[in-house]
Amino acid sequence: MLKILLTALSMALLPAAAFAQDAPTGITRTPLQSVDFPDGYETLLGLTEVAPGAQSSPNSHPGLETGYVLEGDVTISIAGQADIVLRAGESYTISAGTVHHVKTVGDKAAKIITTYVIERGKPLSTPAP
């Protein structure tokens, strides 16, 4: 019984570990919750912190990304759209497979609550060419 419980726990924590490990330099992701929902997908909730002057590389996700800026200002560049500057209290949505990247604005770190709804078994993030 203990072996089954430990296996189930490790399977539940696997997406959360991937959430934290995929972060580029200057960006810290802290997993908060992982839920197997809806069918065939995982919903990951986390806190993303972007250091002053940091930015992510262009990437995409195998599902929807939404976020809410808690602190600081960020610019989100989404393929095919004008850059978006977001301040504390503002939110965004990025469709599955859409190439994008984020960077801080100014000399303050940014904190963002991020939610990903990704296809089960796929990596959280894929670098864009």
Side-chain angles (χ1 to χ4, degrees):
M1 183 61 140
L2 180 61
K3 185 177 180 180
I4 293 171
L5 180 60
L6 290 175
T7 301
L9 182 59
S10 68
M11 298 277 290
L13 293 177
L14 193 58
F19 183 88
Q21 291 173 351
D22 281 350
T25 304
I27 297 178
T28 304
R29 292 187 184 135
T30 304
L32 301 175
Q33 185 176 36
S34 175
V35 179
D36 283 338
F37 181 82
D39 279 344
Y41 289 82
E42 300 168 84
T43 299
L44 305 170
L45 175 69
L47 174 65
T48 300
E49 297 176 80
V50 186
Q55 68 178 14
S56 66
S57 299
N59 67 92
S60 65
H61 305 284
L64 180 72
E65 174 186 349
T66 62
Y68 178 83
V69 181
L70 295 170
E71 296 177 12
D73 299 337
V74 295
T75 297
I76 297 181
S77 299
I78 301 173
Q81 298 181 25
D83 288 356
I84 303 165
V85 176
L86 296 171
R87 293 168 174 39
E90 297 181 318
S91 61
Y92 66 92
T93 301
I94 302 171
S95 300
T98 302
V99 174
H100 63 283
H101 71 277
V102 63
K103 63 182 175 182
T104 53
V105 175
D107 59 357
K108 238 177 108 177
K111 290 185 181 181
I112 307 164
I113 292 290
T114 49
T115 302
Y116 300 91
V117 182
I118 60 170
E119 292 179 54
R120 187 173 297 120
K122 296 226 174 158
L124 175 64
S125 180
T126 301

